[in-house]
Amino acid sequence: MDFEFTDDQLELRDNARRVLASACPPSLVRSVYEGGGGADDLWATLIGLDWPAIGVSEEHGGLGLGFLEAAIVVEELGRVVAPSPFLATVTQLAPMLREAGSPGLLAGIAAGDCTGTLALAEGGAWRTDAVHTTARRTGAGWVLHGEKSHVLDGASADEVAVVARLEGTAGDDGLGVFLAAGDTLSAQPRPVIDPTMPVATVTLEGAEVGGDRVLVEPGEPGAAPAIARALQEATTAMALSTTATCRAIFEATLQYAKDREQFGRPIGSFQALKHRLADMYLAVERASSLAYFAALTIAEDDDRRGVAASMAKAAAGDCQRLVAGDGLQLHGGIGFTWEHDLHFLLKRAKSGDLLFGTAAAHRAQLARMLGLAA
Amino acid sequence: MRLRFDESVEAFRAELLDWLAAHRPSAEEMAADPSISTGHAPDWARRWTRQMFDAGWLVPGWPPELGGRNAGPIETLVYIEELARAKVPRTTNVQGLGIVAPSILDYGSEAQIRDYAMPILRGEKTACLGMSEPGAGSDLAALSTRAVLDGDRFVINGQKVWTSGANYADFCFLFCRTDPDAPKHKGISIVLVDMDTPGITVRPLPEIIRPEHPDLNEVFFADVVVPAENLVGEMNNGWAMANGSLAHERGMVWVSGVMSLEESMDRLRGELPAITAGLTPAERAVAIDRVVELTIDTTAARCLGYRGFAKLAKGGSAPEQALMKLFASEVRQRIALVGAEVQGAAAIEVGAVDMDGHLSVDEPQGTWLEQYFHSFANTISAGASEIQRNIIAERVLGLPRS
Ligand SMILES: Cc1cc2nc3c(=O)[nH]c(=O)nc-3n(C[C@H](O)[C@H](O)[C@H](O)COP(=O)(O)OP(=O)(O)OC[C@H]3O[C@@H](n4cnc5c(N)ncnc54)[C@H](O)[C@@H]3O)c2cc1C
């Protein structure tokens, strides 16, 4: 039992932090917010450093590092609000490919040749029982009908893994996963509050997918567990990212409380603020601890991974609720301005909570997993 | 990072479990003669502490002559966890074994170790901790009980309060003011005082729950004469020792607190179907949501503990440790509160759940409402939650002092 990173992992974190300090400064985030460019250069830099290869095994052209290493990078990207296809490609599409046992594209992902995402949610629910999109066999291929909501990078990803089900099935039955090329799909980008987490609605009205692009054959016995496992990985990554953003908000707020003076002394000397900062800190550590636990259960393929992923995501949601609110409040007027960088963090934290299931949605999920609710 | 322990640690656990199975006092034996105060050690508890001492299982991290086996921190963590799982306390005199004996071993004279520390380790004596006073609670350094050195003896006058176990303890680890002119942190000394010394009056203070078995006491000192050789460590250095002696096993004991949270949650989840049977679906959904939230808190407490422990075990500093007392005690309180609220009107009935053999502030016992009131023991004592937040803000986060 060991809940601390190894020296190699700590070094990876330091390196990642150093790289991002110059490759992803707040000015880049601002540029993306204000409609300018820069995100592509960042992605090119990350590809140059082999980051997309981190979670991919060596036999598929990756670095052969595990989920903990991917988690470290996800955290660092979350800390700086990086606008990057990393989250959707490496933590959403790649796990689905791996679980489906179709490594074909992994080499492309590792090499940075293609980006991707997972189209699961419908109507804002990231549960397989909420999937209504249907798959119908036509000759050699399949035709998909339905609408996918909140697909991260849905309008820009090269490859989209679409979860659909056989007509007339429900629950875990009849589920399958299909790989659609992004440019064959109708994706409507949604105007969102955080442009570093762009989502799209993907409409599948008779979209055709070739038989060679079936990742998980509908109705296959292992289909639902494979999807669940990929979803656990994506959910845990979103929890890690969101918690890391919260830590950045907390650190910025703590520094501000030490620097800002009113009534002749630093505002951080007022006990009312001290106690709020102590509680923010506790919320961040609570969420981090659970996120690392979830990451460990994935890295070691532990039975508790479903429960741990939902706990981590729920705790990340609780954390941002406190930290985003108090972080803004404790900054006073300056935090309310567009010019100050704080709002990038705040909006990223909110998006991270609301995507892949809110805290309440994951508690409901946990109630089912713990046998407390049907 | 990994989820499992090494094989050598698992071998240690297996050895402990074998030994416990062969030697532990039975639940019936403990319940038949329960400990009724943290200063009170029933016969089974004295025998048991002695047995653990002899077998090197009392404080595994210590050498054999002190009742240990030179175990490392990870083994000690496993040890504390298994004892909690087996529901058998090492001692009923928690402050004696946890704070007083280690402090005497660290700072005391050879005679004090022989006459006071070793008897605690062998289950022969119990101790109480005399720190708080009517005028010195959170501001402990404001204490005013006076010890005046008069030749080869101290003469002590003053009053302590909230002294757990003083009604049964054999001696008191007493914090006194020995230099009233020095700055308040610099004039405090520690003196060992036998509780049967003339001039000591103990008045039990029945508690909010179970007033029939008071653990808290007021202790009055009127011209109490104590040999000067009972001074622990150096004169006027008591404050520094107080901070040192609270650090023993602190990196590991959190796990027994976490286990009692887990035990409470197992109970609450187990009772949930029955106590929510009469609720509407909407009410039940709210109740379940609150129980799930506490399940998350409880898991978080364990993970947070492991994180802090991993840093300590690697020789680093662990800010997580500062959070543990605050977090675990507040989670404990929320569990009991939610238990009572979910249970509804039935929660006002008393005596519905038996208390078991031993008392400790860590022990969730009784009905949910009884547990709720009792849970304030943890959020008030040993640095109230507000003081913990001050400490976190100032010492961990580096915010300026007010
Ligand atoms: C079950 C139990 C067992 C105990 N056992 C022992 C024992 O064995 N030996 C012993 O010596 N003592 C013992 N105590 C005493 C305990 O340590 C004190 O109760 C504790 O230190 C608080 O002191 P107080 O009760 O005087 O409260 P106060 O210090 O008067 O506090 C009252 C309230 O004010 C708040 N407060 C005080 N100062 C500040 C501040 N600076 N900032 C913000 N808020 C503040 C507190 O948090 C609390 O909410 C025990 C207490 C309990 C409840």
Side-chain angles (χ1 to χ4, degrees):
Chain A
M1 177 68 64
D2 185 356
F3 262 62
E4 179 57 303
F5 289 112
T6 63
D7 288 345
D8 284 350
Q9 287 165 342
L10 291 171
E11 194 181 314
L12 170 66
R13 184 171 74 187
D14 288 348
N15 281 334
R17 194 165 294 185
R18 212 169 15 249
V19 165
L20 290 173
S22 60
C24 188
S27 56
L28 170 66
V29 180
R30 181 166 294 277
S31 162
V32 169
Y33 258 82
E34 293 174 354
D40 293 345
D41 294 341
L42 172 62
W43 186 228
T45 304
L46 302 188
I47 291 170
L49 294 166
D50 274 345
W51 283 18
I54 277 178
V56 180
S57 68
E58 280 169 303
E59 75 178 292
H60 299 127
L63 295 179
L65 296 169
F67 188 72
L68 292 175
E69 284 76 10
I72 286 169
V73 169
V74 165
E75 283 191 304
E76 293 308 316
L77 292 166
R79 255 185 99 80
V80 297
V81 197
S84 147
F86 188 94
L87 211 51
T89 304
V90 177
T91 75
Q92 296 178 16
L93 178 61
M96 197 63 252
L97 295 172
R98 226 180 321 107
E99 291 300 330
S102 48
L105 268 181
L106 284 173
I109 288 178
D113 294 337
C114 86
T115 61
T117 189
L118 176 65
L120 168 74
E122 294 182 21
W126 275 263
R127 299 189 320 268
T128 46
D129 59 283
V131 170
H132 294 292
T133 295
T134 56
R136 189 157 38 82
R137 197 187 284 276
T138 56
W142 294 80
V143 177
L144 308 179
H145 279 275
E147 188 176 277
K148 292 291 177 182
S149 74
H150 306 97
V151 182
L152 187 63
D153 296 345
S156 59
D158 298 326
E159 298 287 348
V160 183
V162 180
V163 181
R165 62 168 67 252
L166 294 172
E167 282 166 307
T169 65
D172 279 355
D173 293 336
L175 290 168
V177 186
F178 304 85
L179 193 62
D183 55 14
T184 67
L185 296 174
S186 151
Q188 278 303 316
R190 306 298 304 171
V192 284
I193 197 162
D194 172 12
T196 72
M197 294 277 252
V199 301
T201 301
V202 175
T203 310
L204 305 147
E205 283 313 327
E208 291 178 31
V209 181
D212 56 337
R213 298 198 123 234
V214 179
L215 291 179
V216 176
E217 189 82 23
E220 201 176 274
I227 297 166
R229 289 167 57 88
L231 181 57
Q232 286 154 10
E233 215 169 305
T235 303
T236 298
M238 194 62 85
L240 284 157
S241 169
T242 304
T243 303
T245 306
C246 287
R247 190 179 289 278
I249 296 171
F250 165 69
E251 286 174 2
T253 308
L254 179 62
Q255 193 57 51
Y256 190 73
K258 291 176 183 177
D259 296 343
R260 170 71 177 165
E261 295 195 3
Q262 282 296 281
F263 302 97
R265 52 190 175 126
I267 57 170
S269 67
F270 299 119
Q271 195 181 56
L273 300 203
K274 280 185 184 171
H275 284 198
R276 285 168 81 164
L277 284 158
D279 284 335
M280 289 168 77
Y281 177 56
L282 177 57
V284 171
E285 291 299 334
R286 173 183 184 266
S288 269
S289 300
L290 286 168
Y292 291 146
F293 175 52
L296 270 169
T297 61
I298 288 168
E300 298 186 18
D301 204 4
D302 186 276
D303 289 347
R304 294 166 289 183
R305 50 184 282 166
V307 166
S310 280
M311 285 191 172
K313 188 64 171 65
D318 296 340
C319 178
Q320 65 73 31
R321 195 162 186 250
L322 182 79
V323 170
D326 276 9
L328 175 48
Q329 180 69 20
L330 267 57
H331 271 80
I334 194 73
F336 192 69
T337 64
W338 186 265
E339 273 69 29
H340 197 281
D341 295 334
L342 183 70
H343 69 106
F344 304 144
L345 289 163
L346 302 177
K347 291 166 183 169
R348 177 80 161 224
K350 285 289 162 197
S351 298
D353 170 43
L354 300 171
L355 297 174
F356 279 78
T358 59
H362 280 282
R363 285 199 303 273
Q365 188 90 357
L366 281 162
R368 286 186 288 272
M369 288 189 270
L370 296 169
L372 298 174
Chain B
M1 274 202 189
R2 62 210 168 88
L3 285 172
R4 264 159 265 286
F5 289 108
D6 286 342
E7 267 173 39
S8 65
V9 176
E10 291 307 334
F12 173 93
R13 187 197 305 271
E15 189 187 346
L16 170 64
L17 290 178
D18 281 348
W19 189 83
L20 278 179
H23 296 95
R24 60 159 295 167
S26 69
E28 299 75 48
E29 192 183 351
M30 295 193 292
D33 187 11
S35 166
I36 50 180
S37 142
T38 55
H40 170 235
D43 285 345
W44 64 261
R46 291 177 188 272
R47 256 195 332 268
W48 171 236
T49 297
R50 175 66 197 242
Q51 237 176 334
M52 297 201 98
F53 175 85
D54 288 342
W57 282 121
L58 188 64
V59 186
W62 287 352
E65 61 273 21
L66 297 176
R69 49 182 60 220
N70 294 315
I74 296 177
E75 283 81 9
T76 300
L77 185 76
V78 165
Y79 162 85
I80 292 170
E81 184 168 350
E82 291 303 335
L83 278 193
R85 203 190 313 277
K87 291 193 207 279
V88 45
R90 298 194 261 187
T91 174
T92 54
N93 181 216
V94 282
Q95 66 274 26
L97 183 61
I99 299 172
V100 176
S103 304
I104 298 174
L105 290 169
D106 278 353
Y107 305 108
S109 66
E110 259 175 54
Q112 288 167 352
I113 291 173
R114 184 190 63 223
D115 298 338
Y116 292 96
M118 297 310 292
I120 290 180
L121 302 184
R122 290 194 301 259
E124 294 156 6
K125 279 190 178 177
T126 63
C128 59
L129 190 59
M131 302 173 100
S132 308
E133 298 182 2
S138 298
D139 185 12
L140 180 63
L143 62 87
S144 64
T145 292
R146 276 287 269 140
V148 178
L149 191 58
D150 174 17
D152 60 356
R153 53 183 218 157
F154 284 108
V155 180
I156 300 172
N157 280 285
Q159 185 198 339
K160 294 289 168 182
V161 71
W162 324 123
T163 320
S164 302
N167 44 347
Y168 288 91
D170 296 300
F171 72 95
C172 183
F173 191 76
L174 186 69
F175 286 69
C176 313
R177 183 147 311 277
T178 38
D179 184 353
D181 302 322
K184 63 181 185 176
H185 295 91
K186 302 239 162 93
I188 297 172
S189 300
I190 300 169
V191 180
L192 302 175
V193 182
D194 289 321
M195 290 301 286
D196 58 5
T197 313
I200 297 179
T201 310
V202 175
R203 194 179 80 87
L205 283 168
E207 288 149 39
I208 189 166
I209 290 296
R210 274 182 298 180
E212 66 280 15
H213 290 314
D215 188 35
L216 298 180
N217 300 272
E218 289 178 290
V219 185
F220 301 89
F221 298 84
D223 292 328
V224 173
V225 174
V226 175
E229 70 207 34
N230 280 21
L231 172 74
V232 179
E234 283 164 44
M235 189 80 160
N236 297 324
N237 195 31
W239 186 256
M241 288 188 274
N243 288 321
S245 53
L246 293 173
H248 281 275
E249 290 189 352
R250 192 166 46 192
M252 286 76 91
V253 286
W254 58 268
V255 78
S256 63
V258 167
M259 292 201 55
S260 75
L261 299 180
E262 291 168 351
E263 189 191 328
S264 292
M265 286 312 299
D266 283 345
R267 175 179 155 197
L268 183 52
R269 282 191 302 264
E271 289 176 1
L272 204 59
I275 60 181
T276 58
L279 302 182
T280 65
E283 288 169 331
R284 190 173 313 125
V286 172
I288 289 172
D289 192 53
R290 299 179 73 185
V291 171
V292 169
E293 185 150 30
L294 291 166
T295 306
I296 298 173
D297 276 327
T298 300
T299 307
R302 184 174 272 276
C303 296
L304 195 58
Y306 279 139
R307 264 182 73 64
F309 174 73
K311 288 184 189 162
L312 280 187
K314 286 185 182 164
S317 65
E320 291 85 356
Q321 290 292 320
L323 296 171
M324 278 307 281
K325 195 251 174 191
L326 173 67
F327 185 53
S329 63
E330 295 194 344
V331 171
R332 139 96 15 95
Q333 208 154 76
R334 288 201 289 273
I335 292 174
L337 183 62
V338 167
E341 289 177 353
V342 168
Q343 198 180 6
I348 60 178
E349 290 183 28
V350 295
V353 177
D354 287 340
M355 311 283 180
D356 70 20
H358 54 279
L359 273 180
S360 127
V361 289
D362 268 356
E363 210 63 33
Q365 293 196 45
T367 66
W368 291 118
L369 210 47
E370 286 166 337
Q371 283 194 28
Y372 170 67
F373 286 116
H374 195 253
S375 72
F376 284 82
N378 297 72
T379 55
I380 294 171
S381 68
S385 296
E386 293 72 25
I387 302 301
Q388 299 299 329
R389 288 187 168 84
N390 290 348
I391 291 173
I392 291 163
E394 289 169 11
R395 297 200 207 143
V396 180
L397 304 181
L399 288 164
R401 298 183 68 93
S402 317

